[in-house]
Amino acid sequence: MRNKKKAIVRVPATSANLGPGFDSVGVALDWSATYTVEITEKTDSSNYDPIQNMVAKSAAAFFRREGISNSIDFAVTYESDIPVGRGLGVSASARAAGIMSANALAGTEKKLVEMLPLAVELEGHADNIVPAMLGGLRVVVSDKDQIHQIGLSIPDDLCLV
């Protein structure tokens, strides 16, 4: 069942709705957040800030989806240089961290692409969360539990401002 008591993941900021790729093109950025997620005996979730809450709820959703437990509590801490409220995918980063941490904590060894349907379900759209989980520049189309995505090369002389 659980192989670890603590997982540490680093997730990038993202930007989406790039040019004509509204709701379908997103890119991982150089900013990032490092999340530490621990299984705890009992956590008072009222002490969570909104980002910690998203991480903990996403980890719990992963455990439920995998049939591991409906009643596991998680303690979450994080350090981030991602500006909040600026459209840089803070919620996608937090939800991706919860899912990836839960995968590590549960020892399920799912591949990142296998976790995308839950990630998109929790985030509500794929254009930010897919690059948060897979990195790079991504073109994404989601259809129910199918997430179709491709990674594109970013030319070395192109930079985002």
Side-chain angles (χ1 to χ4, degrees):
M1 189 126 90
R2 291 188 301 265
N3 293 339
K4 300 179 182 180
K5 292 244 182 206
K6 181 190 329 186
I8 300 171
V9 297
R10 184 172 173 255
V11 183
T14 59
S15 184
N17 299 321
L18 302 176
F22 186 77
D23 281 347
S24 62
V25 179
V27 65
L29 303 171
D30 290 337
W31 288 304
S32 66
T34 301
Y35 301 88
T36 301
V37 181
E38 298 179 75
I39 294 174
T40 63
E41 293 299 317
K42 187 169 185 176
T43 301
D44 179 2
S45 62
S46 65
N47 291 329
Y48 286 150
D49 74 8
I51 295 169
Q52 290 170 309
N53 194 36
M54 280 187 268
V55 174
K57 284 184 176 184
S58 298
F62 180 89
F63 271 46
R64 281 192 307 276
R65 168 99 31 121
E66 293 300 310
I68 296 168
S69 177
N70 288 330
S71 60
I72 298 266
D73 288 315
F74 299 93
V76 178
T77 58
Y78 67 97
E79 293 181 21
S80 177
D81 63 359
I82 303 172
V84 177
R86 300 292 184 259
L88 295 172
V90 170
S91 66
S93 173
R95 289 185 175 108
I99 293 166
M100 293 186 297
S101 295
N103 182 51
L105 291 167
T108 52
E109 299 182 13
K110 284 188 166 284
K111 295 178 182 174
L112 292 173
V113 294
E114 295 175 294
M115 295 181 275
L116 292 179
L118 175 61
V120 171
E121 177 185 319
L122 294 174
E123 182 65 10
H125 44 89
D127 54 347
N128 268 324
I129 195 135
V130 172
M133 292 185 72
L134 301 180
L137 177 63
R138 301 282 164 178
V139 177
V140 185
V141 177
S142 59
D143 177 25
K144 296 185 183 180
D145 283 341
Q146 289 278 327
I147 310 300
H148 307 280
Q149 62 80 31
I150 58 170
L152 301 174
S153 298
I154 300 172
D156 291 336
D157 60 344
L158 181 66
C159 66
L160 299 173
V161 292

